[in-house]
Amino acid sequence: MGEAQTGHEVHQQHEKLVRALADQHALAVAQDHDEGVPDEAFDVLMERAQTLMAYETQMPALLAEPERVRSEKIIFWSWRAQSAVAIALILAFRLLGYSNGWYALVVPHLVATFFGWPLKATVKNHLSLRTASIALHAVGVLLVLIVLGVLSPWFIIAFLIGWAFVGTAAADGQETGK
């Protein structure tokens, strides 16, 4: 798709194509005599009309492109940041000699975040994947608070529900993108 255009630029391009078609139509009408429009003028008119219709078909994707690019950045950095959080917790456990079995929660979190690294945002799926990526941060905060003992181990249930939501949203986003 190339460089993302603003909505204003997309609409300006659309107006330019509409004006070109209108100008060609006016020219064809001016050239119209009793025997009809000359073939060359008609061919140019049809070409401009087809160009306009093709652009109008692309307009929804062009208008959504800036948001898709923003979502792509959020998705890219969210999953990597949560991997870094899990790695930091594992290193802290090793350095401090503290774990109390929390590896059983942190290592699956790390592995699951690695699976999010290759997620790609398309026009169709970017909102679903963005939502999953933002929710992933809430799950990461829960993880940190649970393993550091700030929250009760009963909050593991909320952590698992959070991962179910993130996993479902990410999987739905991937299916929508195909």
Side-chain angles (χ1 to χ4, degrees), residues 12 14-25 48:
Q12 278 184 329
H14 181 257
E15 288 175 18
K16 180 181 168 188
L17 292 171
V18 168
R19 275 193 308 274
L21 178 61
D23 292 345
Q24 184 60 37
H25 180 261
R48 298 240 169 105

Side-chain angles (χ1 to χ4, degrees), residues 99-115:
S99 83
N100 291 345
W102 290 120
Y103 283 117
L105 205 58
V106 177
V107 171
H109 180 78
L110 175 63
V111 171
T113 58
F114 282 148
F115 281 110

